[in-house]
Amino acid sequence: MNEYLKNLDRIEFVVTMNCTGRCKHCSEGEHISASPHIDSDTAVKTVKAVCGLYDIKSLMTFGGEPLLYPETVAAIHRTAFELGIPQCDIITNGYFSKNKDKIKDTALLLRDSRAETVLLSVDAFHQETIPLEPVEFFAHCLRENGIYVEISPAWLVGRNADNPYNAITSELIGKFAAKGFNIGNGNVIFPEGNALKYFGEYFREGEAVSNPYEESPYDLHSLCIGCDGSALNGNIYEKDILQLIEEYSPV
Ligand code: SF4
């Protein structure tokens, strides 16, 4: 087994970078050019192969907006369920269509794929460009289909920091709390890229901050597969994931 991956216990798929949102804080840039999306069959094959070698404890699909490709998300989560991965999450902004039938069908599809948890991004930043109504409707559809929904807001500086963005976020998530949805801790916006460009005044100059999502390349716990198939210095469309795992080197 590759020593740099001996602790691998998680798989993440960036399903696509296409997105319905244009959040100012987005770490993924402006989303102005069209992005590919991950191929379902290759993704499924990859999950099966990795689970044959490692004890995978969690899997996540996100984007961009992953539910622009609901069949792909469903195929990945169905496979994860069949392989017994204990924790599987979808991170979504909840806005992939305005059409209520399409929203209902997507919730049904996720139920049938045995998706368990949907983390729904709701906050001042997302709701600058994403209408709340379809998001609320989707949350209700998910709940009706027995899928656990957790509202996952982004906070500026810290959850308890006093600023106009956090005030709007508190009001928005309060609407979901009033309807009985669970509110998660969410995340604190990391001062990088667009976040630094638009909210630089809120971050202290010269303050050293480490990116909480960054892993040591010498001890990878998470296998992250990009929407173009990129993974571990290679690409799953060009090489089998097990070969990429074998060949991986951080240097
Ligand atoms: S919804 Fe997510 S991926 Fe899309 S622009 Fe907003 S932060 Fe970025």
Side-chain angles (χ1 to χ4, degrees), residues 19 21-23 25-26 31 63-64 93 126 130:
C19 194
R22 294 286 179 273
C23 305
H25 72 300
C26 187
H31 301 275
N93 65 33
H126 286 82
I130 295 170

Side-chain angles (χ1 to χ4, degrees), residues 16-31 63-65 91-93 121 125-126 129-130:
T16 181
M17 288 312 299
N18 289 331
C19 194
T20 50
R22 294 286 179 273
C23 305
K24 277 192 198 137
H25 72 300
C26 187
S27 58
E28 310 297 350
E30 311 284 352
H31 301 275
E65 176 39 54
I91 302 185
T92 169
N93 65 33
S121 304
F125 312 101
H126 286 82
T129 57
I130 295 170

Side-chain angles (χ1 to χ4, degrees), residues 39-93:
D39 171 68
S40 302
D41 292 345
T42 314
V44 164
K45 189 174 145 216
T46 299
V47 175
K48 286 181 178 168
V50 175
C51 286
L53 198 59
Y54 292 92
D55 184 15
I56 297 297
K57 303 268 193 323
S58 64
L59 177 144
M60 180 176 273
T61 49
F62 59 105
E65 176 39 54
L67 293 175
L68 289 171
Y69 304 96
E71 301 287 350
T72 301
V73 173
I76 293 171
H77 284 268
R78 192 177 299 118
T79 306
F81 172 78
E82 286 165 2
L83 292 168
I85 299 178
Q87 177 71 42
C88 296
D89 302 322
I90 302 168
I91 302 185
T92 169
N93 65 33

